[in-house]
């Protein structure tokens, strides 16, 4: 059984709401990434590999509806 230590870097809006969260490896974004609107609704989600976007990213409108996807 092997455990992987995952670090997260979070950014917040001035009012204190979560703006984004990213998995971090050796100081770079690597793994899951999420970004939120000020009201907490998911804005986008995707993954990073060595600080570069990877795979399919999904974007959402301010009312939480799927808007589009983009492949990297």
């Amino acid at each position: 059984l092997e455990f992987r230590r995952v670090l997260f870097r979070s950014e917040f809006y001035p009012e204190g709401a979560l703006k984004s969260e990213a998995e971090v490896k050796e100081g770079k974004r690597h793994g899951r990434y999420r970004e939120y609107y000020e009201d907490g609704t998911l804005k986008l989600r995707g993954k990073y590999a060595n600080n570069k976007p990877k795979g399919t990213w999904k974007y959402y409108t301010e009312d939480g509806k799927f808007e589009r996807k983009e492949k990297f």
Side-chain angles (χ1 to χ4, degrees):
L1 189 62
E2 186 177 319
F3 291 94
R4 183 178 140 216
R5 183 174 164 184
V6 177
L7 299 176
F8 285 90
R9 178 178 297 150
S10 300
E11 294 180 300
F12 297 89
Y13 286 102
E15 299 79 26
L18 182 63
K19 184 176 184 179
S20 68
E21 57 186 354
E23 286 186 44
V24 177
K25 180 180 176 184
E26 297 175 0
K28 296 179 181 179
R29 289 179 179 167
H30 190 84
R32 188 176 79 128
Y33 178 78
R34 303 283 187 271
E35 197 169 303
Y36 303 91
Y37 291 102
E38 286 189 66
D39 69 357
T41 304
L42 183 64
K43 184 176 188 178
L44 65 92
R45 67 180 183 173
K47 290 185 179 181
Y48 276 95
N50 293 314
N51 236 20
K52 295 179 183 176
K54 177 184 177 181
T56 302
W57 283 51
K58 294 182 179 180
Y59 298 80
Y60 301 88
T61 61
E62 288 187 59
D63 59 356
K65 294 180 182 168
F66 175 76
E67 183 176 34
R68 66 185 170 95
K69 63 183 175 180
E70 187 173 359
K71 290 194 176 213
F72 291 93

Short mmCIF file of all heavy atoms in Angstrom, two decimals, residues 42-46 56-60 66 68-70:
data_model
loop_
_atom_site.label_atom_id
_atom_site.label_comp_id
_atom_site.label_asym_id
_atom_site.label_seq_id
_atom_site.Cartn_x
_atom_site.Cartn_y
_atom_site.Cartn_z
N LEU A 42 -19.18 26.66 -9.01
CA LEU A 42 -18.04 26.21 -9.80
C LEU A 42 -17.96 26.95 -11.12
O LEU A 42 -18.95 27.03 -11.86
CB LEU A 42 -18.15 24.70 -10.05
CG LEU A 42 -17.01 24.04 -10.80
CD1 LEU A 42 -15.71 24.11 -10.00
CD2 LEU A 42 -17.35 22.58 -11.10
N LYS A 43 -16.80 27.51 -11.43
CA LYS A 43 -16.57 28.26 -12.67
C LYS A 43 -15.90 27.38 -13.72
O LYS A 43 -16.26 27.39 -14.89
CB LYS A 43 -15.70 29.47 -12.37
CG LYS A 43 -15.46 30.39 -13.52
CD LYS A 43 -14.67 31.61 -13.04
CE LYS A 43 -14.55 32.66 -14.11
NZ LYS A 43 -13.82 33.85 -13.61
N LEU A 44 -14.88 26.62 -13.31
CA LEU A 44 -14.20 25.71 -14.22
C LEU A 44 -13.50 24.63 -13.44
O LEU A 44 -13.21 24.78 -12.26
CB LEU A 44 -13.23 26.45 -15.13
CG LEU A 44 -12.01 27.13 -14.51
CD1 LEU A 44 -10.82 26.20 -14.51
CD2 LEU A 44 -11.67 28.36 -15.33
N ARG A 45 -13.23 23.52 -14.15
CA ARG A 45 -12.47 22.44 -13.54
C ARG A 45 -11.61 21.78 -14.60
O ARG A 45 -11.99 21.69 -15.78
CB ARG A 45 -13.38 21.43 -12.86
CG ARG A 45 -14.25 20.65 -13.79
CD ARG A 45 -15.11 19.68 -13.03
NE ARG A 45 -15.88 18.89 -13.97
CZ ARG A 45 -16.63 17.88 -13.62
NH1 ARG A 45 -16.71 17.52 -12.37
NH2 ARG A 45 -17.31 17.21 -14.53
N GLY A 46 -10.46 21.34 -14.18
CA GLY A 46 -9.53 20.70 -15.10
C GLY A 46 -8.37 20.12 -14.33
O GLY A 46 -8.39 20.01 -13.11
N THR A 56 -9.25 17.42 -20.62
CA THR A 56 -10.46 18.20 -20.91
C THR A 56 -10.80 19.10 -19.74
O THR A 56 -10.91 18.64 -18.61
CB THR A 56 -11.64 17.25 -21.19
OG1 THR A 56 -11.30 16.40 -22.29
CG2 THR A 56 -12.89 18.04 -21.52
N TRP A 57 -10.97 20.37 -20.03
CA TRP A 57 -11.39 21.35 -19.03
C TRP A 57 -12.84 21.69 -19.30
O TRP A 57 -13.24 21.85 -20.44
CB TRP A 57 -10.52 22.60 -19.12
CG TRP A 57 -9.16 22.41 -18.51
CD1 TRP A 57 -8.28 21.39 -18.76
CD2 TRP A 57 -8.53 23.25 -17.55
NE1 TRP A 57 -7.15 21.55 -18.02
CE2 TRP A 57 -7.28 22.69 -17.26
CE3 TRP A 57 -8.91 24.42 -16.90
CZ2 TRP A 57 -6.40 23.26 -16.35
CZ3 TRP A 57 -8.03 24.99 -16.01
CH2 TRP A 57 -6.79 24.41 -15.72
N LYS A 58 -13.62 21.83 -18.23
CA LYS A 58 -15.04 22.16 -18.36
C LYS A 58 -15.31 23.51 -17.71
O LYS A 58 -14.82 23.80 -16.63
CB LYS A 58 -15.90 21.08 -17.70
CG LYS A 58 -15.77 19.75 -18.43
CD LYS A 58 -16.64 18.69 -17.81
CE LYS A 58 -16.50 17.38 -18.58
NZ LYS A 58 -17.33 16.33 -18.03
N TYR A 59 -16.11 24.32 -18.39
CA TYR A 59 -16.42 25.68 -17.96
C TYR A 59 -17.92 25.79 -17.71
O TYR A 59 -18.72 25.20 -18.43
CB TYR A 59 -16.01 26.69 -19.03
CG TYR A 59 -14.52 26.69 -19.30
CD1 TYR A 59 -13.95 25.72 -20.11
CD2 TYR A 59 -13.70 27.65 -18.75
CE1 TYR A 59 -12.58 25.70 -20.36
CE2 TYR A 59 -12.33 27.65 -18.99
CZ TYR A 59 -11.78 26.67 -19.79
OH TYR A 59 -10.43 26.66 -20.03
N TYR A 60 -18.28 26.57 -16.68
CA TYR A 60 -19.67 26.70 -16.27
C TYR A 60 -20.06 28.18 -16.16
O TYR A 60 -19.23 29.03 -15.88
CB TYR A 60 -19.88 26.02 -14.91
CG TYR A 60 -19.53 24.55 -14.95
CD1 TYR A 60 -18.24 24.12 -14.71
CD2 TYR A 60 -20.49 23.60 -15.27
CE1 TYR A 60 -17.89 22.78 -14.77
CE2 TYR A 60 -20.16 22.25 -15.33
CZ TYR A 60 -18.86 21.84 -15.08
OH TYR A 60 -18.53 20.51 -15.16
N PHE A 66 -23.48 24.02 -17.46
CA PHE A 66 -22.34 23.71 -18.32
C PHE A 66 -22.33 24.66 -19.50
O PHE A 66 -23.35 24.87 -20.15
CB PHE A 66 -22.43 22.26 -18.80
CG PHE A 66 -21.36 21.89 -19.78
CD1 PHE A 66 -20.07 21.66 -19.36
CD2 PHE A 66 -21.65 21.81 -21.13
CE1 PHE A 66 -19.08 21.33 -20.26
CE2 PHE A 66 -20.67 21.48 -22.05
CZ PHE A 66 -19.38 21.24 -21.61
N ARG A 68 -19.09 25.07 -21.79
CA ARG A 68 -18.26 24.54 -22.87
C ARG A 68 -17.14 23.69 -22.29
O ARG A 68 -16.91 23.68 -21.09
CB ARG A 68 -17.66 25.66 -23.69
CG ARG A 68 -16.65 26.51 -22.94
CD ARG A 68 -16.15 27.70 -23.77
NE ARG A 68 -15.38 28.61 -22.95
CZ ARG A 68 -14.07 28.59 -22.85
NH1 ARG A 68 -13.36 27.69 -23.51
NH2 ARG A 68 -13.43 29.47 -22.08
N LYS A 69 -16.46 22.98 -23.18
CA LYS A 69 -15.27 22.25 -22.76
C LYS A 69 -14.14 22.53 -23.74
O LYS A 69 -14.38 22.91 -24.89
CB LYS A 69 -15.55 20.76 -22.62
CG LYS A 69 -15.94 20.04 -23.87
CD LYS A 69 -16.24 18.58 -23.53
CE LYS A 69 -16.77 17.85 -24.76
NZ LYS A 69 -17.06 16.45 -24.46
N GLU A 70 -12.95 22.35 -23.26
CA GLU A 70 -11.76 22.64 -24.05
C GLU A 70 -10.74 21.53 -23.79
O GLU A 70 -10.55 21.14 -22.65
CB GLU A 70 -11.20 24.00 -23.62
CG GLU A 70 -10.08 24.51 -24.46
CD GLU A 70 -9.68 25.94 -24.08
OE1 GLU A 70 -10.30 26.53 -23.17
OE2 GLU A 70 -8.74 26.45 -24.69
#
